[in-house]
Amino acid sequence: MKTDGQAHATRTLWNLLHAWWRMMPKEKRSLANADAAIRQAREGIDFLAVLPAQAAQAVLKTYFRAWKNCWEGPADAPNFKGRIRTVMSVDIPQGRDLNITRVHRRWGMVSIPKVGRVRFRWTKDLPVGKRADTENRITGARLVKDALGRHIAFRVQTLEAEPAPRQGPEVGIDMGFSVPRALSDGTVYEHGEWLTGKEKVRLLHLEQRAAQRKRHRRPGERASRRLQHTYDRIAGLRAKAKRRAMDWQHQTTTRIARTYGTVGVEALTITNMVKSAKGTVEEPGTNVAQKAGLNRSIHAEAWGRTVTLPAYKTARRGGTLAKVPAPGTSRRCSACGLTTSGSRESRAVFVCKNPDCGWSGNADHNGARNVLHLYRRGLALVPAAGRAVVRRAKPAAAR
């Protein structure tokens, strides 16, 4: 499909731009010089001609924004994009080029520059036709190809009234493993396995087949079509599990934002929590395998989204999301407020060793109550800011 060629051209243009950035002196690294280099590359390389000029400008803006995020925030510096690990995507920065029409209750048509008319699955109402104006309109789109197929996500700009401050109940959230999300009022949110039993068996069978076929490949030899097809099926199952996890997190955080006016969470430094314990050759680490398993569990539960998702959902409803200091929330007794050694008998049970208290209960529930207590004591950090009024529509499957 032509969109695949545009996606590869987008990745190649990014790599060329990054190579140009590293080669140029600092005094010549400017937006105007980069734009001139891109125009020269598109004229001299026929492969890049399949990419529309506006999409090439979007690559340039994204690259400079990546450097700005690196200089001003905790983001890493941009790097080269590999062919295998990079998501194939093309950005359409201007919405007037899309010419969206709805042809059926479930289907719509959109114009893609240098591709033509493409049919997509209509999954959410869009401001098109008479519903579009200067305040509610489509500002662009993004084509994405992943393991589950091709999708198009429209950027929709809408004008929303500023919500009134909401005076609702307060709640603290603790993130764990035995109970993924525990609330201070006793509510728990749990989930099962993201893949069914048959899907797990199929995934194991595909991984074994891929390992067997990989043994017959010579060093440096490209993967055969059969091996690549096996890799694609493995990626499809893993993408399905990831999408189910995202759906559960969105439903959970939306329910929390609708129910509570103030949500308190732990200010966790997840980047430091998931560092490897291998150490160095001079000072090797201990319990490396156990720490690696813990890191995989933290990544699987996606604790970071428990902060980012409720941040804009509570702000949109007039609520507040506050971060509290994380140290001590899992070892402090929520009944008496004392921290005693040996209170955390196991991962799931907390028993206070204070002879005057002796409270016992679920460890995650105890941590959630401590989070709420810290917020009520005025120890909350800077509240997480809400998003702007610009929101994005759900991705639609292109056919």
Side-chain angles (χ1 to χ4, degrees):
M1 195 173 181
K2 295 182 179 180
T3 55
D4 293 349
Q6 292 188 4
H8 289 304
T10 300
R11 180 185 56 84
T12 304
L13 187 61
W14 173 284
N15 293 337
L16 291 176
L17 183 60
H18 185 63
W20 174 89
W21 179 275
R22 297 178 60 182
M23 182 181 61
M24 287 290 108
K26 291 185 178 180
E27 60 273 8
K28 294 186 179 181
R29 295 175 181 176
S30 62
L31 186 63
N33 293 338
D35 181 52
I38 286 180
R39 294 177 183 272
Q40 183 179 2
R42 296 185 71 249
E43 292 177 357
I45 304 176
D46 297 337
F47 175 71
L48 299 179
V50 299
L51 190 66
Q54 297 175 356
Q57 293 297 319
V59 175
L60 176 61
K61 294 179 181 179
T62 304
Y63 184 79
F64 271 77
R65 191 184 307 117
W67 274 114
K68 185 177 180 180
N69 295 337
C70 176
W71 295 331
E72 298 179 355
D76 296 332
N79 206 339
F80 289 99
K81 291 187 176 182
R83 181 185 179 93
I84 298 177
R85 297 185 178 275
T86 303
V87 178
M88 298 179 60
S89 62
V90 181
D91 190 75
I92 305 175
Q94 295 187 3
R96 64 172 181 264
D97 299 333
L98 297 175
N99 191 18
I100 302 173
T101 56
R102 190 167 186 174
V103 298
H104 189 262
R105 182 172 61 90
R106 295 184 178 182
W107 296 98
M109 296 291 292
V110 59
S111 297
I112 307 299
K114 293 194 174 183
V115 174
R117 299 289 288 175
V118 177
R119 186 178 67 165
F120 67 94
R121 185 71 176 267
W122 198 284
T123 57
K124 192 173 183 179
D125 291 336
L126 299 173
V128 296
K130 297 181 179 179
R131 300 182 56 186
D133 51 30
T134 57
E135 298 178 350
N136 301 276
R137 58 192 178 92
I138 297 177
T139 60
R142 188 174 184 84
L143 299 174
V144 180
K145 180 183 178 182
D146 56 14
L148 297 179
R150 294 180 175 88
H151 313 277
I152 179 169
F154 298 101
R155 289 188 293 270
V156 182
Q157 177 179 324
T158 60
L159 182 63
E160 298 180 356
E162 185 177 356
R166 180 182 177 184
Q167 301 296 332
E170 301 173 346
V171 70
I173 302 178
D174 181 82
M175 295 165 283
F177 303 111
S178 59
V179 178
R181 304 293 182 270
L183 276 58
S184 57
D185 59 358
T187 307
V188 296
Y189 292 98
E190 299 178 328
H191 61 78
E193 298 291 340
W194 303 124
L195 294 177
T196 63
K198 292 183 178 180
E199 290 172 342
K200 287 183 180 180
V201 173
R202 190 183 310 144
L203 178 61
L204 178 60
H205 177 67
L206 291 173
E207 290 176 344
Q208 293 175 347
R209 181 187 298 177
Q212 181 181 5
R213 290 176 175 173
K214 189 177 180 180
R215 286 198 298 266
H216 299 283
R217 188 179 61 176
R218 299 177 182 177
E221 185 181 1
R222 293 186 60 181
S224 62
R225 291 187 179 181
R226 289 185 178 182
L227 180 58
Q228 189 62 45
H229 179 65
T230 306
Y231 284 153
D232 293 340
R233 296 179 63 183
I234 293 174
L237 288 174
R238 292 177 177 174
K240 184 180 294 185
K242 183 178 179 180
R243 181 166 296 185
R244 289 171 181 172
M246 283 288 296
D247 180 69
W248 178 85
Q249 289 175 340
H250 273 287
Q251 291 187 19
T252 302
T253 53
T254 301
R255 194 176 298 114
I256 292 174
R258 290 176 179 175
T259 307
Y260 304 98
T262 302
V263 180
V265 296
E266 297 175 292
L268 299 174
T269 309
I270 301 178
T271 304
N272 297 336
M273 296 176 62
V274 296
K275 285 185 177 180
S276 176
K278 291 183 178 180
T280 60
V281 178
E282 295 78 9
E283 298 181 0
T286 58
N287 299 326
V288 179
Q290 292 84 343
K291 184 61 171 63
L294 178 62
N295 294 345
R296 287 193 297 268
S297 300
I298 294 176
H299 283 301
E301 293 297 336
W303 288 354
R305 296 198 193 104
T306 307
V307 179
T308 57
L309 295 181
Y312 75 90
K313 293 181 181 181
T314 53
R316 183 174 294 176
R317 294 168 175 82
T320 304
L321 185 136
K323 298 180 181 180
V324 301
T329 54
S330 61
R331 297 182 291 108
R332 184 186 298 110
C333 178
S334 60
C336 64
L338 295 180
T339 302
T340 56
S341 60
S343 298
R344 192 72 179 265
E345 293 187 350
S346 65
R347 179 177 291 182
V349 180
F350 182 92
V351 179
C352 182
K353 298 301 182 180
N354 184 9
D356 297 332
C357 178
W359 183 87
S360 63
N362 183 270
D364 297 318
H365 177 54
N366 176 75
R369 293 177 59 181
N370 285 326
V371 171
L372 182 60
H373 292 168
L374 291 176
Y375 169 76
R376 290 176 175 175
R377 289 170 53 189
L379 300 179
L381 304 176
V382 179
R387 296 270 182 97
V389 296
V390 179
R391 61 184 180 184
R392 300 184 180 184
K394 294 181 179 180
R399 295 288 186 267

